[in-house]
Structures are given as C-alpha cells and as structure tokens.
Amino acid sequence: MLKVGIVGLPNVGKSTLFSTLTKKQVDCANFPFCTIEPNVGVVEVPDPRLHRLAEMESSEKIIPAAIEFVDIAGLVKGASKGEGLGNKFLGNIRETDMICHVVRAFEDPNVVHVDGNVDPMRDVETIEIELALKDLDVVEKRIANVANSMKSGRTKDLEIEHSALLKLIETLGKGKLGNSIDFSDDELKFVKPMMLLTMKDVLYVVNVSEEDAADPDWVSPLGTDRIAMPLSVKIESEIVELPKEEQQEYLEALGLELTGLDRVIRHCFKTLDLITYLTVGPKEARAWQIPKGMTAPQAAGVIHTDFEKHFIRAEVTPFEIYSELGSVGAREAGKTRVEGKDYVMQDGDVVYFRIGQ
C-alpha cells in the first residue's frame, strides 16, 4: 500500500487536510505541536471502473486500491537538531513512500503563523533545509564507515558508494534536496537503501483561499521546479461534511470538478508513476496499484509472490472494451488478448492470470 507522509510547518492546515482526506478527526487546535503522535488513516482510491465491473459480474464485494496517509507533527526551524518534536517525527517521514508537503498561502488573522507572516517559499525552504540537515547527519556517518573500509582495501563498490556520498554531502550541505542530484544507476544502488528523506518524491499542496482554489489561472508561488497543486483546506473540510448527492453540486458552484481527495490521490499516483489494473469475478472486483512499466508476471506477483514464479499467460481486456462488451462478448469479438511474460501492463487493464503449478 502506498504510504504518504503529510508534513509542513505548524498551523498550515496539515491536520485539517488529513482529517478531510481520511474522514478521521484529529486534534487541529490552533497552536504548534498539537499533533504529538503520527495519525494514520487509510483512504480508498476512488475508481468508478471498479463499481462498473462489480455490477457487470455481480461481485460479492469491491476492494479498491488504497493510500495510507500519515499526519506528522509540525516541523520548525531546528527540527533536524531536535527542536520542537523534530527528531522523532523526521523518523516517521523516513518510513513513507513519498511526502505531501502542505504550504500555507492564505491570510487569516485568526490563525497564527509561527514566523509571523505568510511566505510560502520561505516556509518550503525552512522544511527542506531541515530535511537536508537530517539526511546530512546520516550520510556523514555512512561515509566515515566507508572511508574506514577503504583503508583495508579499495574495491569498485566502495569507490562508487564513496562517490555517491560525496555528491550527497555537497548538495545537502547547501540545504538542497538529494533528489536533485544526477546519480548513476550504480550509485543509486547504494543511495536507495539509505531511505533518505530528501530522496523521496514530493507533492506540494498549497493551502490557498477559496478564491484562489477556483482560479483556473492559478500560478504556484513555489516556482516551476516543484510539483504543486492549489487546494483550499477550508472548502474541502466543508465539502466532506455534506451528503454525497450535495457534494457535486457544491463543487460545481465553486467551479471545481473534483474534490481535494481525488486531486491529491491523482497527483500522488502521477508523482510516483503508478497505474491501476483490475481483476473481477463473482467473489470480488479489485483494483491493484503497480508502478508504470511493470510486466504481467510482476503484476501477478503483486497478488501472490508464487504467481510471478508460475506465470503462464495473462488474458487482458482494456476496461473500455470490457465495460461495453462484457467478458464473453470481448472474447467473441477477439478483443481479449493473450499476453506473455514480456507484456507491459497498462492502466485500466482487466486481467485474468493463468498460473501453473
């Protein structure tokens, strides 16, 4: 399951966004450090295709893909050295697949800002510097160990790892993110297992005013180098309290097509290059999230590890065709393809895997 850590300065809307996304109420009091334990909530990934398949096949249950959101206490300047609740919660971030960085861009005299005024770029740089400094501690300890090993004998692997660590020290020492470094494939083999905070993909959610949330010409205050999306946490927290049938009307009145939940989830999938394939039968209709580029045997292995080993073939029907013709109709029309071990899965594939003994 995809795990996303929600981070940011205190009072930027993190916990309110979390409770909106997960519909799990957390303490959102208007003061720093009110979140003293990471709150975890699992969110279903909305996918109307799944309901269509379940209806067609009279499936007993629907199992959607899911994302786990972790609400992490507000970080402040000095968090890497233990200021606020930094050290503990920076460890929580390390366990996530990606980061959702919430940035405040709205003005409200009733909601205090820890630095006295609203400045999205300054706030982003504060958090990024703290993440970089925390990673720098990890890298400096590691390079000391590698240097000691090299005294006993230099190997190709040690030299590659040492080169990668030097790149990290230079970049992190400037308060820059590790994911901005152009590593070779060989270097990445040593960098990835370190689970560095600044090597994670980041989606910046800019908490904006109601007017900016509906502005089709909105321009990110974070520049073009950061993947950012505008979202009014206030609006979203109101929408989630409405009955389902009224939510769409509210969105249309505001000039919005999708809820913040749908947009955040879509951005998370896009940021991590994930796609969804579908399986369906009398017992269940189910969505499976996989990295783009995964082959059919690897996708089968997501269901069960033995499936990859004993993979024979995949019977694949694009959802649009399956939805129109059904399982039998698609086969009779020659629209269901038989794919082998080299087939690369596509988003929306409805698949039946043939597995040997």
Side-chain angles (χ1 to χ4, degrees):
M1 185 187 301
L2 175 62
K3 190 172 184 179
V4 179
I6 303 177
V7 305
L9 291 171
N11 298 342
V12 297
K14 293 185 306 79
S15 294
T16 305
L17 174 62
F18 172 83
S19 61
T20 301
L21 290 173
T22 63
K23 298 182 184 178
K24 178 179 178 181
Q25 187 61 45
V26 294
D27 187 4
C28 305
N30 182 27
F31 55 88
F33 314 127
C34 66
T35 310
I36 57 173
E37 290 293 340
N39 293 280
V40 179
V42 176
V43 178
E44 294 184 0
V45 178
D47 194 336
R49 298 174 301 187
L50 207 53
H51 294 271
R52 170 62 177 158
L53 291 178
E55 180 184 7
M56 293 179 71
E57 302 297 338
S58 301
S59 303
E60 293 177 13
K61 59 182 177 179
I62 294 174
I63 304 178
I67 293 182
E68 182 178 291
F69 285 98
V70 184
D71 177 34
I72 295 167
L75 301 174
V76 293
K77 192 175 295 183
S80 61
K81 302 301 180 184
E83 289 296 323
L85 299 170
N87 270 327
K88 178 177 180 181
F89 291 98
L90 284 171
N92 294 134
I93 304 171
R94 201 175 299 283
E95 299 166 6
T96 62
D97 297 303
M98 68 172 287
I99 293 172
C100 175
H101 185 163
V102 182
V103 186
R104 177 176 171 178
F106 67 90
E107 297 284 352
D108 188 338
N110 297 316
V111 182
V112 298
H113 190 291
V114 291
D115 288 328
N117 67 305
V118 175
D119 185 336
M121 185 59 82
R122 177 203 60 205
D123 294 351
V124 163
E125 290 175 348
T126 295
I127 299 296
E128 290 182 348
I129 287 171
E130 295 306 321
L131 298 182
L133 291 175
K134 188 66 176 179
D135 278 351
L136 186 60
D137 286 342
V138 174
V139 174
E140 286 177 338
K141 291 174 183 175
R142 180 59 192 164
I143 201 168
N145 292 334
V146 171
N148 285 332
S149 298
M150 292 177 77
K151 291 177 182 177
S152 303
R154 301 175 73 92
T155 66
K156 183 179 179 181
D157 280 351
L158 284 173
E159 290 179 350
I160 292 172
E161 183 175 6
H162 192 263
S163 170
L165 294 171
L166 286 176
K167 289 182 181 179
L168 280 164
I169 287 175
E170 180 182 0
T171 300
L172 298 173
K174 297 175 182 176
K176 303 298 182 182
L177 303 184
N179 60 19
S180 66
I181 302 173
D182 185 19
F183 289 109
S184 68
D185 290 341
D186 288 336
E187 289 173 332
L188 282 174
K189 292 176 184 177
F190 296 99
V191 173
K192 284 184 176 180
M194 297 177 73
M195 297 178 67
L196 298 175
L197 306 173
T198 62
M199 287 298 294
K200 297 183 184 297
D201 289 300
V202 183
L203 168 64
Y204 297 85
V205 173
V206 183
N207 190 3
V208 298
S209 66
E210 297 179 40
E211 294 76 17
D212 286 341
D215 183 358
D217 300 318
W218 178 80
V219 177
S220 171
L222 308 181
T224 57
D225 294 336
R226 296 174 174 86
I227 300 174
M229 61 167 284
L231 183 145
S232 171
V233 174
K234 182 176 183 294
I235 290 177
E236 300 300 333
S237 64
E238 293 172 355
I239 291 174
V240 79
E241 298 300 328
L242 295 173
K244 283 284 186 182
E245 58 273 13
E246 294 180 23
Q247 290 184 11
Q248 193 59 43
E249 293 179 10
Y250 191 176
L251 286 171
E252 290 175 1
L254 294 169
L256 300 173
E257 294 182 6
L258 299 170
T259 64
L261 168 61
D262 291 343
R263 284 182 286 138
V264 168
I265 288 174
R266 287 190 180 189
H267 274 77
C268 288
F269 266 61
K270 183 178 179 181
T271 301
L272 288 177
D273 236 7
L274 297 175
I275 62 171
T276 302
Y277 76 85
L278 309 160
T279 56
V280 64
K283 290 187 177 181
E284 66 180 36
R286 185 161 183 167
W288 305 85
Q289 58 190 29
I290 58 172
K292 187 182 293 183
M294 186 173 270
T295 62
Q298 292 171 326
V302 173
I303 299 176
H304 194 288
T305 52
D306 286 347
F307 284 11
E308 181 175 1
K309 187 189 306 180
H310 301 294
F311 175 90
I312 296 176
R313 65 180 181 271
E315 298 173 8
V316 181
T317 310
F319 169 76
E320 290 75 13
I321 293 173
Y322 196 108
S323 178
E324 179 185 352
L325 302 177
S327 176
V328 175
R331 290 176 187 276
E332 291 177 347
K335 300 295 185 179
T336 295
R337 308 187 310 272
V338 176
E339 301 287 0
K341 294 182 178 180
D342 294 332
Y343 176 68
V344 177
M345 301 292 292
Q346 302 297 310
D347 186 70
D349 280 347
V350 183
V351 190
Y352 182 81
F353 293 111
R354 294 288 181 181
I355 307 299
Q357 299 296 321

